[in-house]
Amino acid sequence: MTRTPRPSRQSSQERQASLIQAATTLFAQKGFNGTTTKEIAKTAGISEALVFKHFPTKRALYAAILAEKVTISELLSAIEESAKKRDDRRVFTLIASYRIRPGVDPTLLRLLLFSALEGHELSDMFFSKHHKIFYDHLATYIQTRVEDGAFRRVDPLLAARAFIGMVVHHRLLHEIFGVPMDRSYDDTVSTYVDVFLHGLVEAPPTGRARKRRTRI
């Protein structure tokens, strides 16, 4: 008589990974407040007690999702390297390409929107780990280029928010509202970077403007 082999038990790491996956899906569909640990356990195929064994609170589980989903250390290193070279186009392209890329998982954007709408403290955690860090890096770079005389005088933080806001709006349209892309990803990124940089670059004064400055 042939025995049917029993399915192997999940390791602790595998169970934790399946928990994070289940919670991510549910949080993105129903929000943090609308999701219960019982639902997470059922989706992951384990008991609710095991959920609490790995994550004592939903907040801890949410933090684990961010730690897994938001991996930007390599990206920030590349941005800093390009910033040292004063490679404006490369700096802005790296940020835009990270936000606009083929096959990106819209789950993270949905989590951000839910956390903000629900108004719990997790929205601050999400914002600081996923958005503020880009604002800060880009604002610092823009300020440096203003001081170099390469960019016109603008509020660096507002300029950084304007650029990232433009890219995030693109994601909202295509990932949340399902508006089809009308151009390739590379072409889209290039266009956004061109439009923005042309608005920042300090243009040389025209002949008439030079005369006015000379008279003054």
Side-chain angles (χ1 to χ4, degrees):
M1 184 176 179
T2 305
R3 291 183 179 182
T4 304
R6 292 181 179 179
S8 59
R9 287 186 175 183
Q10 284 184 315
S11 68
S12 179
Q13 284 185 330
E14 289 172 334
R15 193 182 302 122
Q16 185 165 309
S18 66
L19 263 174
I20 290 174
Q21 182 58 48
T24 301
T25 301
L26 289 169
F27 287 154
Q29 291 174 347
K30 306 174 71 174
F32 181 82
N33 294 334
T35 301
T36 66
T37 51
K38 186 175 290 186
E39 288 174 315
I40 294 171
K42 183 178 180 181
T43 302
I46 61 173
S47 69
E48 191 175 12
L50 276 176
V51 174
F52 289 116
K53 180 180 178 181
H54 287 276
F55 303 100
T57 63
K58 278 202 301 181
R59 192 182 190 285
L61 181 50
Y62 198 92
I65 291 171
L66 292 186
E68 180 176 284
K69 291 282 185 181
V70 184
T71 53
I72 58 175
S73 56
E74 289 185 9
L75 173 64
L76 292 178
S77 296
I79 291 172
E80 288 172 4
E81 186 64 30
S82 298
K84 290 176 184 176
K85 298 175 182 177
R86 301 297 196 267
D87 189 341
D88 302 332
R89 186 170 188 82
R90 178 67 174 161
V91 168
F92 283 85
T93 298
L94 282 168
I95 293 174
S97 297
Y98 173 76
R99 298 290 186 181
I100 304 172
R101 60 191 188 278
V104 66
D105 183 3
T107 300
L108 204 57
L109 185 57
R110 290 181 181 275
L111 286 174
L112 172 62
L113 294 174
F114 265 120
S115 67
L117 289 171
E118 290 175 334
H120 49 64
E121 77 278 5
L122 294 172
S123 63
D124 295 331
M125 181 196 302
F126 206 125
F127 182 79
S128 63
K129 287 181 175 291
H130 195 59
H131 280 279
K132 186 176 183 296
I133 192 167
F134 285 106
Y135 291 145
D136 291 345
H137 273 73
L138 190 54
T140 299
Y141 180 71
I142 291 172
Q143 179 61 41
T144 298
R145 297 300 280 147
V146 168
E147 292 170 359
D148 289 343
F151 290 171
R152 62 189 179 86
R153 294 206 165 273
V154 294
D155 182 309
L157 185 55
L158 288 182
R161 287 175 178 171
F163 180 72
I164 294 174
M166 179 170 63
V167 176
V168 170
H169 179 69
H170 172 94
R171 291 190 62 194
L172 281 172
L173 287 177
H174 299 287
E175 294 174 33
I176 303 300
F177 293 106
V179 176
M181 292 273 290
D182 58 347
R183 309 181 79 167
S184 70
Y185 287 96
D186 289 342
D187 196 19
T188 298
V189 168
S190 179
T191 300
Y192 280 137
V193 172
D194 282 343
V195 167
F196 197 79
L197 280 180
H198 287 163
L200 274 182
V201 172
E202 180 69 29
T206 62
R208 187 175 297 177
R210 285 197 192 99
K211 289 179 182 179
R212 285 177 184 169
R213 290 183 184 179
T214 305
R215 287 173 186 171
I216 292 171

mmCIF file with all atom_site columns, all heavy atoms in Angstrom, residues 182-201:
data_model
loop_
_atom_site.group_PDB
_atom_site.id
_atom_site.type_symbol
_atom_site.label_atom_id
_atom_site.label_alt_id
_atom_site.label_comp_id
_atom_site.label_asym_id
_atom_site.label_entity_id
_atom_site.label_seq_id
_atom_site.pdbx_PDB_ins_code
_atom_site.Cartn_x
_atom_site.Cartn_y
_atom_site.Cartn_z
_atom_site.occupancy
_atom_site.B_iso_or_equiv
_atom_site.pdbx_formal_charge
_atom_site.auth_seq_id
_atom_site.auth_comp_id
_atom_site.auth_asym_id
_atom_site.auth_atom_id
_atom_site.pdbx_PDB_model_num
ATOM 1   N N   . ASP A 1 182 ? 0.768  55.313 -22.826 1.00 0.00 ? 182 ASP A N   1
ATOM 2   C CA  . ASP A 1 182 ? 0.776  55.651 -24.243 1.00 0.00 ? 182 ASP A CA  1
ATOM 3   C C   . ASP A 1 182 ? 2.191  55.773 -24.801 1.00 0.00 ? 182 ASP A C   1
ATOM 4   O O   . ASP A 1 182 ? 2.375  55.979 -25.996 1.00 0.00 ? 182 ASP A O   1
ATOM 5   C CB  . ASP A 1 182 ? 0.008  56.957 -24.491 1.00 0.00 ? 182 ASP A CB  1
ATOM 6   C CG  . ASP A 1 182 ? 0.573  58.124 -23.696 1.00 0.00 ? 182 ASP A CG  1
ATOM 7   O OD1 . ASP A 1 182 ? 1.376  57.879 -22.779 1.00 0.00 ? 182 ASP A OD1 1
ATOM 8   O OD2 . ASP A 1 182 ? 0.206  59.276 -24.003 1.00 0.00 ? 182 ASP A OD2 1
ATOM 9   N N   . ARG A 1 183 ? 3.193  55.626 -23.931 1.00 0.00 ? 183 ARG A N   1
ATOM 10  C CA  . ARG A 1 183 ? 4.587  55.656 -24.368 1.00 0.00 ? 183 ARG A CA  1
ATOM 11  C C   . ARG A 1 183 ? 5.353  54.594 -23.586 1.00 0.00 ? 183 ARG A C   1
ATOM 12  O O   . ARG A 1 183 ? 4.876  54.089 -22.573 1.00 0.00 ? 183 ARG A O   1
ATOM 13  C CB  . ARG A 1 183 ? 5.205  57.037 -24.126 1.00 0.00 ? 183 ARG A CB  1
ATOM 14  C CG  . ARG A 1 183 ? 4.384  58.174 -24.686 1.00 0.00 ? 183 ARG A CG  1
ATOM 15  C CD  . ARG A 1 183 ? 5.045  59.528 -24.447 1.00 0.00 ? 183 ARG A CD  1
ATOM 16  N NE  . ARG A 1 183 ? 6.106  59.763 -25.417 1.00 0.00 ? 183 ARG A NE  1
ATOM 17  C CZ  . ARG A 1 183 ? 6.674  60.960 -25.595 1.00 0.00 ? 183 ARG A CZ  1
ATOM 18  N NH1 . ARG A 1 183 ? 6.281  61.999 -24.865 1.00 0.00 ? 183 ARG A NH1 1
ATOM 19  N NH2 . ARG A 1 183 ? 7.622  61.120 -26.475 1.00 0.00 ? 183 ARG A NH2 1
ATOM 20  N N   . SER A 1 184 ? 6.552  54.275 -24.041 1.00 0.00 ? 184 SER A N   1
ATOM 21  C CA  . SER A 1 184 ? 7.362  53.287 -23.332 1.00 0.00 ? 184 SER A CA  1
ATOM 22  C C   . SER A 1 184 ? 7.793  53.850 -21.980 1.00 0.00 ? 184 SER A C   1
ATOM 23  O O   . SER A 1 184 ? 7.769  55.059 -21.757 1.00 0.00 ? 184 SER A O   1
ATOM 24  C CB  . SER A 1 184 ? 8.600  52.925 -24.150 1.00 0.00 ? 184 SER A CB  1
ATOM 25  O OG  . SER A 1 184 ? 9.502  54.027 -24.175 1.00 0.00 ? 184 SER A OG  1
ATOM 26  N N   . TYR A 1 185 ? 8.218  52.957 -21.080 1.00 0.00 ? 185 TYR A N   1
ATOM 27  C CA  . TYR A 1 185 ? 8.657  53.400 -19.752 1.00 0.00 ? 185 TYR A CA  1
ATOM 28  C C   . TYR A 1 185 ? 9.865  54.322 -19.861 1.00 0.00 ? 185 TYR A C   1
ATOM 29  O O   . TYR A 1 185 ? 9.921  55.375 -19.211 1.00 0.00 ? 185 TYR A O   1
ATOM 30  C CB  . TYR A 1 185 ? 8.990  52.184 -18.881 1.00 0.00 ? 185 TYR A CB  1
ATOM 31  C CG  . TYR A 1 185 ? 7.770  51.433 -18.421 1.00 0.00 ? 185 TYR A CG  1
ATOM 32  C CD1 . TYR A 1 185 ? 7.310  50.312 -19.105 1.00 0.00 ? 185 TYR A CD1 1
ATOM 33  C CD2 . TYR A 1 185 ? 7.057  51.853 -17.299 1.00 0.00 ? 185 TYR A CD2 1
ATOM 34  C CE1 . TYR A 1 185 ? 6.178  49.621 -18.685 1.00 0.00 ? 185 TYR A CE1 1
ATOM 35  C CE2 . TYR A 1 185 ? 5.919  51.175 -16.875 1.00 0.00 ? 185 TYR A CE2 1
ATOM 36  C CZ  . TYR A 1 185 ? 5.484  50.063 -17.576 1.00 0.00 ? 185 TYR A CZ  1
ATOM 37  O OH  . TYR A 1 185 ? 4.367  49.398 -17.152 1.00 0.00 ? 185 TYR A OH  1
ATOM 38  N N   . ASP A 1 186 ? 10.844 53.940 -20.673 1.00 0.00 ? 186 ASP A N   1
ATOM 39  C CA  . ASP A 1 186 ? 12.050 54.757 -20.812 1.00 0.00 ? 186 ASP A CA  1
ATOM 40  C C   . ASP A 1 186 ? 11.723 56.130 -21.393 1.00 0.00 ? 186 ASP A C   1
ATOM 41  O O   . ASP A 1 186 ? 12.257 57.151 -20.951 1.00 0.00 ? 186 ASP A O   1
ATOM 42  C CB  . ASP A 1 186 ? 13.070 54.051 -21.713 1.00 0.00 ? 186 ASP A CB  1
ATOM 43  C CG  . ASP A 1 186 ? 13.687 52.834 -21.034 1.00 0.00 ? 186 ASP A CG  1
ATOM 44  O OD1 . ASP A 1 186 ? 13.594 52.741 -19.790 1.00 0.00 ? 186 ASP A OD1 1
ATOM 45  O OD2 . ASP A 1 186 ? 14.262 51.986 -21.740 1.00 0.00 ? 186 ASP A OD2 1
ATOM 46  N N   . ASP A 1 187 ? 10.856 56.154 -22.389 1.00 0.00 ? 187 ASP A N   1
ATOM 47  C CA  . ASP A 1 187 ? 10.482 57.414 -23.017 1.00 0.00 ? 187 ASP A CA  1
ATOM 48  C C   . ASP A 1 187 ? 9.708  58.303 -22.043 1.00 0.00 ? 187 ASP A C   1
ATOM 49  O O   . ASP A 1 187 ? 9.883  59.518 -22.003 1.00 0.00 ? 187 ASP A O   1
ATOM 50  C CB  . ASP A 1 187 ? 9.634  57.142 -24.262 1.00 0.00 ? 187 ASP A CB  1
ATOM 51  C CG  . ASP A 1 187 ? 9.537  58.355 -25.178 1.00 0.00 ? 187 ASP A CG  1
ATOM 52  O OD1 . ASP A 1 187 ? 10.391 59.256 -25.055 1.00 0.00 ? 187 ASP A OD1 1
ATOM 53  O OD2 . ASP A 1 187 ? 8.614  58.409 -26.003 1.00 0.00 ? 187 ASP A OD2 1
ATOM 54  N N   . THR A 1 188 ? 8.863  57.678 -21.234 1.00 0.00 ? 188 THR A N   1
ATOM 55  C CA  . THR A 1 188 ? 8.090  58.423 -20.238 1.00 0.00 ? 188 THR A CA  1
ATOM 56  C C   . THR A 1 188 ? 9.012  59.070 -19.213 1.00 0.00 ? 188 THR A C   1
ATOM 57  O O   . THR A 1 188 ? 8.891  60.253 -18.901 1.00 0.00 ? 188 THR A O   1
ATOM 58  C CB  . THR A 1 188 ? 7.096  57.490 -19.521 1.00 0.00 ? 188 THR A CB  1
ATOM 59  O OG1 . THR A 1 188 ? 6.169  56.971 -20.472 1.00 0.00 ? 188 THR A OG1 1
ATOM 60  C CG2 . THR A 1 188 ? 6.330  58.233 -18.441 1.00 0.00 ? 188 THR A CG2 1
ATOM 61  N N   . VAL A 1 189 ? 9.955  58.291 -18.691 1.00 0.00 ? 189 VAL A N   1
ATOM 62  C CA  . VAL A 1 189 ? 10.911 58.818 -17.708 1.00 0.00 ? 189 VAL A CA  1
ATOM 63  C C   . VAL A 1 189 ? 11.718 59.954 -18.316 1.00 0.00 ? 189 VAL A C   1
ATOM 64  O O   . VAL A 1 189 ? 11.886 61.018 -17.714 1.00 0.00 ? 189 VAL A O   1
ATOM 65  C CB  . VAL A 1 189 ? 11.855 57.693 -17.221 1.00 0.00 ? 189 VAL A CB  1
ATOM 66  C CG1 . VAL A 1 189 ? 13.026 58.283 -16.443 1.00 0.00 ? 189 VAL A CG1 1
ATOM 67  C CG2 . VAL A 1 189 ? 11.097 56.702 -16.349 1.00 0.00 ? 189 VAL A CG2 1
ATOM 68  N N   . SER A 1 190 ? 12.215 59.748 -19.534 1.00 0.00 ? 190 SER A N   1
ATOM 69  C CA  . SER A 1 190 ? 13.017 60.765 -20.207 1.00 0.00 ? 190 SER A CA  1
ATOM 70  C C   . SER A 1 190 ? 12.241 62.065 -20.394 1.00 0.00 ? 190 SER A C   1
ATOM 71  O O   . SER A 1 190 ? 12.775 63.164 -20.193 1.00 0.00 ? 190 SER A O   1
ATOM 72  C CB  . SER A 1 190 ? 13.484 60.227 -21.569 1.00 0.00 ? 190 SER A CB  1
ATOM 73  O OG  . SER A 1 190 ? 14.248 61.195 -22.249 1.00 0.00 ? 190 SER A OG  1
ATOM 74  N N   . THR A 1 191 ? 10.965 61.956 -20.759 1.00 0.00 ? 191 THR A N   1
ATOM 75  C CA  . THR A 1 191 ? 10.138 63.140 -20.982 1.00 0.00 ? 191 THR A CA  1
ATOM 76  C C   . THR A 1 191 ? 9.926  63.917 -19.688 1.00 0.00 ? 191 THR A C   1
ATOM 77  O O   . THR A 1 191 ? 10.059 65.145 -19.655 1.00 0.00 ? 191 THR A O   1
ATOM 78  C CB  . THR A 1 191 ? 8.773  62.749 -21.576 1.00 0.00 ? 191 THR A CB  1
ATOM 79  O OG1 . THR A 1 191 ? 8.990  62.092 -22.830 1.00 0.00 ? 191 THR A OG1 1
ATOM 80  C CG2 . THR A 1 191 ? 7.895  63.975 -21.793 1.00 0.00 ? 191 THR A CG2 1
ATOM 81  N N   . TYR A 1 192 ? 9.608  63.207 -18.603 1.00 0.00 ? 192 TYR A N   1
ATOM 82  C CA  . TYR A 1 192 ? 9.415  63.878 -17.312 1.00 0.00 ? 192 TYR A CA  1
ATOM 83  C C   . TYR A 1 192 ? 10.693 64.594 -16.867 1.00 0.00 ? 192 TYR A C   1
ATOM 84  O O   . TYR A 1 192 ? 10.650 65.728 -16.387 1.00 0.00 ? 192 TYR A O   1
ATOM 85  C CB  . TYR A 1 192 ? 8.997  62.868 -16.242 1.00 0.00 ? 192 TYR A CB  1
ATOM 86  C CG  . TYR A 1 192 ? 7.536  62.491 -16.277 1.00 0.00 ? 192 TYR A CG  1
ATOM 87  C CD1 . TYR A 1 192 ? 7.133  61.174 -16.130 1.00 0.00 ? 192 TYR A CD1 1
ATOM 88  C CD2 . TYR A 1 192 ? 6.549  63.455 -16.446 1.00 0.00 ? 192 TYR A CD2 1
ATOM 89  C CE1 . TYR A 1 192 ? 5.793  60.816 -16.155 1.00 0.00 ? 192 TYR A CE1 1
ATOM 90  C CE2 . TYR A 1 192 ? 5.206  63.113 -16.483 1.00 0.00 ? 192 TYR A CE2 1
ATOM 91  C CZ  . TYR A 1 192 ? 4.830  61.794 -16.335 1.00 0.00 ? 192 TYR A CZ  1
ATOM 92  O OH  . TYR A 1 192 ? 3.499  61.447 -16.363 1.00 0.00 ? 192 TYR A OH  1
ATOM 93  N N   . VAL A 1 193 ? 11.821 63.929 -17.023 1.00 0.00 ? 193 VAL A N   1
ATOM 94  C CA  . VAL A 1 193 ? 13.099 64.528 -16.614 1.00 0.00 ? 193 VAL A CA  1
ATOM 95  C C   . VAL A 1 193 ? 13.401 65.752 -17.467 1.00 0.00 ? 193 VAL A C   1
ATOM 96  O O   . VAL A 1 193 ? 13.821 66.803 -16.951 1.00 0.00 ? 193 VAL A O   1
ATOM 97  C CB  . VAL A 1 193 ? 14.243 63.495 -16.711 1.00 0.00 ? 193 VAL A CB  1
ATOM 98  C CG1 . VAL A 1 193 ? 15.596 64.164 -16.485 1.00 0.00 ? 193 VAL A CG1 1
ATOM 99  C CG2 . VAL A 1 193 ? 14.031 62.373 -15.687 1.00 0.00 ? 193 VAL A CG2 1
ATOM 100 N N   . ASP A 1 194 ? 13.187 65.665 -18.777 1.00 0.00 ? 194 ASP A N   1
ATOM 101 C CA  . ASP A 1 194 ? 13.418 66.807 -19.672 1.00 0.00 ? 194 ASP A CA  1
ATOM 102 C C   . ASP A 1 194 ? 12.559 68.006 -19.283 1.00 0.00 ? 194 ASP A C   1
ATOM 103 O O   . ASP A 1 194 ? 13.054 69.131 -19.159 1.00 0.00 ? 194 ASP A O   1
ATOM 104 C CB  . ASP A 1 194 ? 13.109 66.422 -21.127 1.00 0.00 ? 194 ASP A CB  1
ATOM 105 C CG  . ASP A 1 194 ? 14.216 65.610 -21.759 1.00 0.00 ? 194 ASP A CG  1
ATOM 106 O OD1 . ASP A 1 194 ? 15.337 65.615 -21.214 1.00 0.00 ? 194 ASP A OD1 1
ATOM 107 O OD2 . ASP A 1 194 ? 13.952 64.959 -22.785 1.00 0.00 ? 194 ASP A OD2 1
ATOM 108 N N   . VAL A 1 195 ? 11.262 67.745 -19.112 1.00 0.00 ? 195 VAL A N   1
ATOM 109 C CA  . VAL A 1 195 ? 10.326 68.833 -18.778 1.00 0.00 ? 195 VAL A CA  1
ATOM 110 C C   . VAL A 1 195 ? 10.742 69.518 -17.490 1.00 0.00 ? 195 VAL A C   1
ATOM 111 O O   . VAL A 1 195 ? 10.758 70.745 -17.394 1.00 0.00 ? 195 VAL A O   1
ATOM 112 C CB  . VAL A 1 195 ? 8.886  68.282 -18.654 1.00 0.00 ? 195 VAL A CB  1
ATOM 113 C CG1 . VAL A 1 195 ? 7.965  69.308 -18.016 1.00 0.00 ? 195 VAL A CG1 1
ATOM 114 C CG2 . VAL A 1 195 ? 8.341  67.891 -20.028 1.00 0.00 ? 195 VAL A CG2 1
ATOM 115 N N   . PHE A 1 196 ? 11.113 68.719 -16.490 1.00 0.00 ? 196 PHE A N   1
ATOM 116 C CA  . PHE A 1 196 ? 11.441 69.304 -15.194 1.00 0.00 ? 196 PHE A CA  1
ATOM 117 C C   . PHE A 1 196 ? 12.777 70.035 -15.218 1.00 0.00 ? 196 PHE A C   1
ATOM 118 O O   . PHE A 1 196 ? 12.886 71.163 -14.716 1.00 0.00 ? 196 PHE A O   1
ATOM 119 C CB  . PHE A 1 196 ? 11.457 68.217 -14.121 1.00 0.00 ? 196 PHE A CB  1
ATOM 120 C CG  . PHE A 1 196 ? 11.383 68.777 -12.729 1.00 0.00 ? 196 PHE A CG  1
ATOM 121 C CD1 . PHE A 1 196 ? 10.168 69.193 -12.202 1.00 0.00 ? 196 PHE A CD1 1
ATOM 122 C CD2 . PHE A 1 196 ? 12.525 68.926 -11.960 1.00 0.00 ? 196 PHE A CD2 1
ATOM 123 C CE1 . PHE A 1 196 ? 10.094 69.744 -10.929 1.00 0.00 ? 196 PHE A CE1 1
ATOM 124 C CE2 . PHE A 1 196 ? 12.463 69.460 -10.688 1.00 0.00 ? 196 PHE A CE2 1
ATOM 125 C CZ  . PHE A 1 196 ? 11.241 69.873 -10.172 1.00 0.00 ? 196 PHE A CZ  1
ATOM 126 N N   . LEU A 1 197 ? 13.795 69.411 -15.793 1.00 0.00 ? 197 LEU A N   1
ATOM 127 C CA  . LEU A 1 197 ? 15.114 70.043 -15.800 1.00 0.00 ? 197 LEU A CA  1
ATOM 128 C C   . LEU A 1 197 ? 15.126 71.329 -16.615 1.00 0.00 ? 197 LEU A C   1
ATOM 129 O O   . LEU A 1 197 ? 15.820 72.283 -16.266 1.00 0.00 ? 197 LEU A O   1
ATOM 130 C CB  . LEU A 1 197 ? 16.163 69.066 -16.329 1.00 0.00 ? 197 LEU A CB  1
ATOM 131 C CG  . LEU A 1 197 ? 16.666 68.023 -15.332 1.00 0.00 ? 197 LEU A CG  1
ATOM 132 C CD1 . LEU A 1 197 ? 17.696 67.126 -15.990 1.00 0.00 ? 197 LEU A CD1 1
ATOM 133 C CD2 . LEU A 1 197 ? 17.257 68.676 -14.088 1.00 0.00 ? 197 LEU A CD2 1
ATOM 134 N N   . HIS A 1 198 ? 14.371 71.391 -17.681 1.00 0.00 ? 198 HIS A N   1
ATOM 135 C CA  . HIS A 1 198 ? 14.314 72.618 -18.474 1.00 0.00 ? 198 HIS A CA  1
ATOM 136 C C   . HIS A 1 198 ? 13.708 73.767 -17.680 1.00 0.00 ? 198 HIS A C   1
ATOM 137 O O   . HIS A 1 198 ? 13.980 74.933 -17.953 1.00 0.00 ? 198 HIS A O   1
ATOM 138 C CB  . HIS A 1 198 ? 13.520 72.388 -19.760 1.00 0.00 ? 198 HIS A CB  1
ATOM 139 C CG  . HIS A 1 198 ? 14.261 71.571 -20.772 1.00 0.00 ? 198 HIS A CG  1
ATOM 140 N ND1 . HIS A 1 198 ? 13.651 70.959 -21.844 1.00 0.00 ? 198 HIS A ND1 1
ATOM 141 C CD2 . HIS A 1 198 ? 15.567 71.230 -20.857 1.00 0.00 ? 198 HIS A CD2 1
ATOM 142 C CE1 . HIS A 1 198 ? 14.549 70.303 -22.551 1.00 0.00 ? 198 HIS A CE1 1
ATOM 143 N NE2 . HIS A 1 198 ? 15.721 70.454 -21.968 1.00 0.00 ? 198 HIS A NE2 1
ATOM 144 N N   . GLY A 1 199 ? 12.902 73.418 -16.697 1.00 0.00 ? 199 GLY A N   1
ATOM 145 C CA  . GLY A 1 199 ? 12.333 74.460 -15.843 1.00 0.00 ? 199 GLY A CA  1
ATOM 146 C C   . GLY A 1 199 ? 13.268 74.889 -14.732 1.00 0.00 ? 199 GLY A C   1
ATOM 147 O O   . GLY A 1 199 ? 13.091 75.951 -14.146 1.00 0.00 ? 199 GLY A O   1
ATOM 148 N N   . LEU A 1 200 ? 14.290 74.066 -14.443 1.00 0.00 ? 200 LEU A N   1
ATOM 149 C CA  . LEU A 1 200 ? 15.217 74.381 -13.359 1.00 0.00 ? 200 LEU A CA  1
ATOM 150 C C   . LEU A 1 200 ? 16.517 75.026 -13.824 1.00 0.00 ? 200 LEU A C   1
ATOM 151 O O   . LEU A 1 200 ? 17.101 75.845 -13.118 1.00 0.00 ? 200 LEU A O   1
ATOM 152 C CB  . LEU A 1 200 ? 15.584 73.101 -12.593 1.00 0.00 ? 200 LEU A CB  1
ATOM 153 C CG  . LEU A 1 200 ? 14.665 72.650 -11.456 1.00 0.00 ? 200 LEU A CG  1
ATOM 154 C CD1 . LEU A 1 200 ? 15.238 71.386 -10.816 1.00 0.00 ? 200 LEU A CD1 1
ATOM 155 C CD2 . LEU A 1 200 ? 14.513 73.728 -10.400 1.00 0.00 ? 200 LEU A CD2 1
ATOM 156 N N   . VAL A 1 201 ? 16.969 74.652 -15.003 1.00 0.00 ? 201 VAL A N   1
ATOM 157 C CA  . VAL A 1 201 ? 18.276 75.117 -15.468 1.00 0.00 ? 201 VAL A CA  1
ATOM 158 C C   . VAL A 1 201 ? 18.297 76.631 -15.589 1.00 0.00 ? 201 VAL A C   1
ATOM 159 O O   . VAL A 1 201 ? 17.368 77.242 -16.121 1.00 0.00 ? 201 VAL A O   1
ATOM 160 C CB  . VAL A 1 201 ? 18.636 74.453 -16.817 1.00 0.00 ? 201 VAL A CB  1
ATOM 161 C CG1 . VAL A 1 201 ? 19.901 75.068 -17.394 1.00 0.00 ? 201 VAL A CG1 1
ATOM 162 C CG2 . VAL A 1 201 ? 18.813 72.960 -16.630 1.00 0.00 ? 201 VAL A CG2 1
#
